[in-house]
Amino acid sequence: MDTTISISKERCIKCGKCMRVCPAEIFAQDENSKGVKISEAENCIGCGHCVAACPENAVFHSLFPAGKVHPVDYSQLPTPEQMMLLCKSRRSNRAFTTKPVPDDCLNKILEAAHRAPTGSNVQHVRFLVITNPDKLHQISDFTMDVFGGVMKKLKNPLLKPLIKLVMPDAFRYIPTFERMLEEYKTDNDGILRKATAVIFIYTPAGTRMGVLDANLAYQNGSLMAECLGVSQFYTGFVLNAVNMKKGKLEKMLGIDGEIYAGMALGMPAFRFPNYIDRKEIEAVWM
């Protein structure tokens, strides 16, 4: 990464915070003078930790000029209680109205998702926002076609023994698939549930931590959607179909990469007045 990094001797207070937070370990502090020096700047991954951690703005980084560095007002952050309430109240609400999701809301959801961390700070996560009704219908058609093919295999007497051996739980989905396929014929879309927008999250093919990075982005975006009063749910059926027909939906949509996460969005017909408790936490402390 072609970067230029320097430290202002006049501003630096020798606190060593830049050294402590740098994942590439390009900062070092002299044991005697406590002065900070930079070595092997070419190893910088561009995370910006050094700039963000410096209390005196003494670190100058070519990737983060003054206009890209902003002070944090921690008093504006939600309280732990507010954050917990957000987590408890967030639900996959599939009861949408026909009203489109405002572009301003979609942009805020995208920014929140884009802010999620990525492995080695590669920032290869990309987004495709679909609001065109024909394209949305195309996504559902693709998914139902894949499930139709799965149903034929599950019912094939020659394949049943092998499927039972490899995927013993697959057969319990037959009633669900049959119902969805029949209802889809009557314009009852059990895939996108009449969502007015879909955001697919993808990375270039071969990205080492693409699936993890995309799903971290999804979590950020879904929390922002909840804050904005926009209903959303994870497009699990679509992603299963994508995995079974790798590359097909990406090609249909003109995506140069691999889809790893997705959310269907719409304006809610109503909001849930209650939250319910989940099963007891299963955690091991060591």
Side-chain angles (χ1 to χ4, degrees):
M1 184 176 292
D2 187 15
T3 57
T4 302
I5 311 170
S6 62
I7 298 174
S8 170
K9 293 182 179 180
E10 291 75 23
R11 294 184 182 182
C12 179
I13 59 174
K14 303 177 182 180
C15 64
K17 291 179 180 177
C18 55
M19 180 187 69
R20 296 177 66 182
V21 299
C22 178
E25 299 183 348
I26 65 173
F27 294 87
Q29 194 167 23
D30 184 87
E31 292 184 4
N32 297 318
S33 69
K34 299 300 180 183
V36 178
K37 62 180 181 179
I38 301 168
S39 61
E40 299 181 332
E42 65 274 11
N43 292 334
C44 174
I45 65 172
C47 67
H49 283 353
C50 57
V51 179
C54 183
E56 300 297 326
N57 296 319
V59 180
F60 296 96
H61 198 300
S62 58
L63 293 179
F64 306 102
K68 289 191 173 184
V69 183
H70 313 279
V72 178
D73 183 356
Y74 283 97
S75 68
Q76 296 298 310
L77 295 183
T79 65
E81 293 76 17
Q82 289 170 332
M83 184 61 197
M84 185 61 75
L85 181 59
L86 175 61
C87 292
K88 289 177 176 179
S89 62
R90 183 180 62 164
R91 302 198 69 80
S92 298
N93 186 355
R94 296 172 174 83
F96 299 130
T97 68
T98 57
K99 183 179 178 182
V101 180
D103 286 350
D104 180 58
C105 290
L106 290 173
N107 282 323
K108 287 178 180 176
I109 292 168
L110 288 174
E111 182 178 358
H114 177 63
R115 291 278 181 175
T118 59
S120 299
N121 194 45
V122 294
Q123 298 186 52
H124 283 171
V125 175
R126 304 289 183 266
F127 305 92
L128 178 66
V129 184
I130 303 170
T131 58
N132 183 302
D134 292 336
K135 289 291 184 182
L136 294 173
H137 191 69
Q138 190 177 13
I139 295 167
S140 295
D141 278 347
F142 160 79
T143 306
M144 296 308 295
D145 285 345
V146 173
F147 286 162
V150 171
M151 284 292 296
K152 290 179 181 179
K153 291 180 181 178
L154 291 176
K155 291 183 175 183
N156 187 320
L158 298 177
L159 294 176
K160 269 188 177 182
L162 178 62
I163 295 174
K164 281 186 177 181
L165 182 65
V166 180
M167 301 171 59
D169 292 337
F171 292 92
R172 70 187 182 95
Y173 291 102
I174 289 179
T176 300
F177 288 165
E178 286 181 332
R179 175 179 53 80
M180 290 176 65
L181 288 165
E182 285 302 314
E183 291 183 354
Y184 195 66
K185 295 176 183 177
T186 63
D187 199 34
N188 186 2
D189 183 1
I191 302 300
L192 296 183
R193 305 291 183 129
K194 301 189 184 301
T196 59
V198 165
I199 298 176
F200 282 129
I201 309 173
Y202 65 98
T203 66
T207 300
R208 184 170 61 89
M209 300 184 71
V211 63
L212 302 177
D213 293 344
N215 281 281
L216 285 172
Y218 170 84
Q219 291 297 336
N220 266 25
S222 67
L223 287 171
M224 176 56 76
E226 190 71 27
C227 290
L228 293 166
V230 177
S231 291
Q232 62 82 35
F233 64 87
Y234 193 78
T235 56
F237 281 129
V238 180
L239 294 173
N240 277 326
V242 167
N243 286 331
M244 286 186 273
K245 293 288 185 180
K246 290 188 179 296
K248 187 171 181 179
L249 185 61
E250 288 91 341
K251 185 176 181 180
M252 289 169 58
L253 298 174
I255 290 176
D256 184 16
E258 297 174 286
I259 298 173
Y260 288 123
M263 65 174 76
L265 305 106
M267 300 309 296
F270 55 84
R271 299 189 77 176
F272 291 82
N274 308 300
Y275 70 82
I276 58 174
D277 290 333
R278 297 178 66 85
K279 295 178 181 179
E280 293 298 316
I281 297 175
E282 294 185 22
V284 177
W285 293 59
M286 301 182 71

